[in-house]
Each structure stands twice: as C-alpha cells, then as structure tokens.
Amino acid sequence: GAVVSQHPSWVICKSGTSVKIECRSLDFQATTMFWYRQFPKQSLMLMATSNEGSKATYEQGVEKDKFLINHASLTLSTLTVTSAHPEDSSFYICSAPDGGRYEQYFGPGTRLTVT
Amino acid sequence: QKEVEQNSGPLSVPEGAIASLNCTYSDRGSQSFFWYRQYSGKSPELIMFIYSNGDKEDGRFTAQLNKASQYVSLLIRDSQPSDSATYLCAVMGGKLVFGAGTILRVKS
C-alpha cells in the first residue's frame, strides 16, 4: 500500500504556543489529504480536507483560524495548531487517497500534548 | 442515529476461533466500505475494502456487504492474539465516516 509519513510523531508544547505537523505522501502524489483528530477511546473525527493549491475545507465546528492547513505541494500538507491549549491535546492523524482509488492510507499520527 | 454504528465490545474470542465484527450505516448513498485495524496508540491500518454486495475474501479476512440492509461485516478466521485491536468500520459517501470501533480480544 501507499506510504504516508508524519512529523513529528509526538510533541509537547506550552499553552499559547503554536505547533506545526507535517504530512507527506512518500510514494504517490496526493492532491487531497485529510486531517483527523482522535481523543482517547473515541473514533477518528475528520477536521478538514486539505486541497493542493487551494483553501482547505473545514468540518463544522472546527476553527479554521486555529487549525491552519497548508497544502503547498502534491506530497506535503501541514497542520498548524495556533495558540494551543490543553484541550487541543490529542492524536492528530493525516491520510491521503492513493490516486484514483478510494482507499485512504493513514500516516502514523502525531501525539500532541499541551501543558 | 449515528452515521456508522458498531458495537464497542469488547468482543472476546479464543485463539483459532472466528471473530465476527458488524457495522451498520445510515446513508443509503454510501458507495465504499472499509475496515481498519487500530492498535493502541497507533494510527489505523487498512485491512479490507468492499464496494459490491456479497463477500470479499483476503487471507484470513472476509468482508461482507449488504446494501439493502445497510450493514457490513468483517470475519476473521483462525483468530490470533496479534489480531487483538480495535476494528474501525468506515463508510465513504461524500467523505469517510468512521464508526467508534469494536475492541477485539483474542485469548490464547
């Protein structure tokens, strides 16, 4: 299957600071990538759809000014959590569909802890 | 009603038995159905996908889809302790929607 990487795998930051998470498709090009958030013992919740060369599409209830998404190339999307607060602590996972296929391949995830 | 529903479990089966995981969905327009396995602290891993009614087999895994009844299931034959994980059902309509997952425990 296709390979998606994320960096960093975990990060601890102080409240009020910003954190950038990178998502890369390693062996395929992805015009679309998806960002999910998963709280403990809960399922994945789609936050936003990242579109290469255009603005991201955010799900209802997700603050676009707080979760900045940039998809500058066909292999890289970034999620920046601005002015992070402890309630933003979560497992952030990106995914990308492989070309014209419907299957989505997930990155390994980034565990964010805001102190 | 949730869009994708799964029994949270845990479902406990002995090693070597068949594990049966079920999922129902509400959107009749859904076209693609996926099963992901997620180990604790890890991201989901795609196991199976199915688009057409009927069964699809891949090794020890069989996905079953019944669009009329709006359910999709996953059978795991010869269950192994390493199969112990949370299994997520996901349904693609306009976007991929996940169920809450079923915890599977295979006891040796």
Side-chain angles (χ1 to χ4, degrees):
Chain A
V3 179
V4 176
S5 71
Q6 274 184 251
H7 177 81
S9 56
W10 60 270
V11 57
I12 301 173
C13 70
K14 291 186 177 180
S15 186
T17 61
S18 296
V19 174
K20 179 185 286 188
I21 302 170
E22 295 185 347
C23 176
R24 294 181 185 272
S25 55
L26 298 185
D27 52 359
F28 66 102
Q29 293 182 331
T31 56
T32 301
M33 290 183 176
F34 301 93
W35 287 96
Y36 295 84
R37 180 167 56 182
Q38 186 177 36
F39 292 106
K41 299 190 185 300
Q42 295 186 24
S43 192
L44 281 74
M45 295 301 296
L46 179 65
M47 298 176 65
T49 302
S50 172
N51 303 298
E52 187 268 336
S54 64
K55 291 182 179 180
T57 304
Y58 291 83
E59 295 299 302
Q60 191 173 10
V62 177
E63 300 176 57
K64 60 180 67 176
D65 294 331
K66 179 172 183 63
F67 299 98
L68 302 180
I69 291 173
N70 183 280
H71 195 150
S73 77
L74 288 172
T75 59
L76 173 65
S77 174
T78 60
L79 168 67
T80 301
V81 183
T82 63
S83 186
H85 292 286
E87 58 265 31
D88 297 323
S89 298
S90 188
F91 192 41
Y92 291 85
I93 312 172
C94 71
S95 73
D98 182 3
R101 301 163 68 92
Y102 288 109
E103 308 92 271
Q104 287 191 32
Y105 295 91
F106 284 84
T110 297
R111 188 158 305 280
L112 169 64
T113 302
V114 184
T115 61
Chain B
Q1 181 187 9
K2 293 182 180 178
E3 294 180 67
V4 180
E5 295 209 44
Q6 295 181 255
N7 188 318
S8 62
L11 172 66
S12 293
V13 299
E15 183 176 357
I18 295 175
S20 177
L21 305 164
N22 300 311
C23 169
T24 59
Y25 60 94
S26 60
D27 184 1
R28 283 194 172 273
S30 301
Q31 296 295 317
S32 313
F33 307 85
F34 305 87
W35 283 100
Y36 287 86
R37 176 174 62 197
Q38 187 175 26
Y39 293 111
S40 181
K42 304 294 185 181
S43 69
E45 171 192 9
L46 180 65
I47 298 176
M48 294 278 294
F49 58 90
I50 186 167
Y51 305 141
S52 304
N53 277 328
D55 296 359
K56 179 181 179 182
E57 186 175 318
D58 184 0
R60 296 187 296 114
F61 300 97
T62 298
Q64 299 174 318
L65 174 61
N66 184 322
K67 289 187 177 181
S69 299
Q70 295 176 249
Y71 86 79
V72 57
S73 63
L74 179 70
L75 300 178
I76 306 175
R77 290 180 297 280
D78 189 24
S79 295
Q80 300 297 310
S82 58
D83 293 327
S84 298
T86 298
Y87 288 80
L88 302 172
C89 172
V91 176
M92 175 72 82
K95 62 182 181 181
L96 195 61
V97 179
F98 286 85
T102 298
I103 298 171
L104 173 65
R105 293 178 181 160
V106 181
K107 298 180 178 180
S108 58

